[in-house]
Each structure stands twice: as structure tokens, then as C-alpha cells.
Amino acid sequence: METTMIRTRLCELLTIDHPILNAPMAGTAGAALAAAVSEAGGFGMIGGTSRGGPDWLRAQIRAARAHTARPFGAGFISSFPGIDDLVHVALDEQVAAINHSFADPAPYVAAAHAAGVKVLAQVQTVAHAAAAASAGVDVIIAQGTEAGGHTGTSGTLALVPAVLEAVGGIPVVAAGGIADGRGLAAVLMLGAVGAWMGTRFVASREWGGGAWEQHAVLAAQRRRYRPHDGLRPGPRGTLPRRHRRPRPAQRLHRGLAGA
Ligand SMILES: Cc1cc2nc3c(=O)[nH]c(=O)nc-3n(C[C@H](O)[C@H](O)[C@H](O)COP(=O)(O)O)c2cc1C
């Protein structure tokens, strides 16, 4: 049977065969997952923000390299303490790319490029995408609110085209709610150059978290879910308190990005 390979400019940029990256899930996307994804032709990412700190990250990078000669990267929750030490390890170990999430990537771009390392930045708003583009990142990950982990409030379908229009030709990868080839095809149609997936990879043998979490993903069904369930108008038509209060990740991001 003839198979069609989907290649995008992300494949050239990261020297991969398939425009798919695993999300750098903190502490649970380790060497095994990153190496497996890269070996399969995608771009593997190690979740560098873990309790193990720089030593753990260095060991994971070396373990991944022992299992694949293909490129892979490391990603960070860049608002967490100790980030500079982790970034230093990633650059020192010469990963192919680093990712910054939940913080302004600008302070990290020059050093990474000087080390020959590409910079990815995961964003949840158009404003943060524009800021990351101005900072000179190589790829922007537009993360819709369908995403597992910390996220924003715009849906992937709406966010990706809006980010594309704001970043002046920088490649945009979509994240949030993508779990299969149909999802990948859908975001490519929006103009994204690839898909970044977290939850789907939780359900893989190489993921380093708990078995109960994997069982929960595997057992999950499409359930009735409406974000506005329970929504009642507040005083004078305002939203009820829980809908006005920013989520912790948004507060964190706003504080750091000064938005
Ligand atoms: C278990 C889990 C842990 C995550 N940890 C991180 C992290 O440490 N750093 C990060 O930038 N994103 C993290 N994310 C978010 C992902 O980068 C990505 O945006 C998200 O998984 C994409 O949506 P999906 O889960 O629907 O594929 C995590 C996601 C999950 C599911």
C-alpha cells in the first residue's frame, strides 16, 4: 500500500520526518519518551522542570542520546525557580532545541542561538505570541485551552490562526486537544506546521508518570462537558466569581510577562 508522508517546514527546521512533537511534560517526559518519539521520526522533548533538577536533566539527556542519534530537545516551565541552571545544562549538552513555557522567552534566545540550539516558545495568547516573535524564537507553540496541564482560555481552533497572523511568518505549531492524525490534519489546514501533543503521550509505555494516570486517559470517554455548566449571572449581569478569577497559571504568566 502506498503511504503518503506529510512533511512541513518544521521537518526541515528540526530535521525530522514527521511534524509531531511530544510535550515536555515536567518530570514525566523523560529520556525514554523523547528517544522513542525521535526514533519514530518526530521530535522528542524531555520535560526538564523536575524535582531531580539539573543532575536529573543531564542524566536524561545522556540517556536519550544513548537510545537515539536523532535530534531531540528539552522544555521548561520557565517561571519556576532554578530555570537558568536547567537551561545551562540543556545548552551544555547540546540538545537540538529548548522550549520555554509560561514566561517571556526573550532572556534565553541569544545564548541558545550562540550555542546552535533552536528556541521554541509555548504561548496561550496572541500578545504573548507577538512578544515571543519579537524576541526571535524559531518556533511558536500556540496552546489552546483544550490542552492538558496549565493552559489559557482560547480554543486551539481560534488561537492558531490568530497567532499565525500576529507572528510574521514564524512557524507555528498547534497544541491542545490533538491526539491523532485527524487532529494533525486539522491544524495543518489552519496553517500550523505541526502538532505538539501531551495527553496522547501520557498513554504511551515510555511515559514516566503513574500507571493510574495512564489508566484514566485510556478509560476516558467523550463525556458531557460544558464549561458554562452551573453558570449563573452575577450581580448586574457580571460573570460569577469563579469565571472572573484567573487560573493560577494565568496569574503566573501575567505576572511574569507583565501583561
Ligand atoms: C501531564 C502533563 C504535563 C505537562 N507538563 C508540562 C510542562 O512541564 N511544561 C510545559 O511546557 N507544558 C506541559 N504540559 C502542557 C503541554 O506542553 C501541552 O501544551 C499540552 O499537553 C497539549 O495539549 P494535549 O494535552 O491536549 O495534547 C503538560 C501537559 C500534560 C498533559
Side-chain angles (χ1 to χ4, degrees), residues 23-26 77 99 101 122 143 146-149 175-178 196-199:
M25 294 169 275
I77 302 175
N99 175 72
S101 290
Q122 180 165 246
Q143 186 211 45
E146 296 90 331
I178 307 161
W196 166 284
M197 302 181 212
T199 304

Side-chain angles (χ1 to χ4, degrees), residues 2-121:
E2 197 180 325
T3 52
T4 306
M5 300 276 282
I6 297 176
R7 289 187 66 83
T8 70
R9 90 183 147 109
L10 186 73
C11 299
E12 317 308 324
L13 191 74
L14 297 178
T15 52
I16 54 178
D17 297 330
H18 311 298
I20 293 171
L21 306 89
N22 73 272
M25 294 169 275
T28 54
L33 180 60
V37 170
S38 289
E39 272 298 286
F43 193 80
M45 294 289 289
I46 295 171
T49 312
S50 93
R51 290 204 189 106
D55 291 344
W56 180 87
L57 178 58
R58 197 181 290 278
Q60 294 300 310
I61 293 171
R62 291 183 179 178
R65 197 156 276 141
H67 286 95
T68 185
R70 290 171 177 257
F72 62 88
F76 308 104
I77 302 175
S78 305
S79 48
F80 277 28
I83 180 73
D84 290 352
D85 292 341
L86 295 171
V87 171
H88 172 77
V89 167
L91 300 188
D92 192 41
E93 291 290 328
Q94 286 281 290
V95 297
I98 56 173
N99 175 72
H100 290 286
S101 290
F102 309 112
D104 180 3
Y108 305 105
V109 174
H113 286 168
V117 174
K118 302 236 170 5
V119 182
L120 324 180

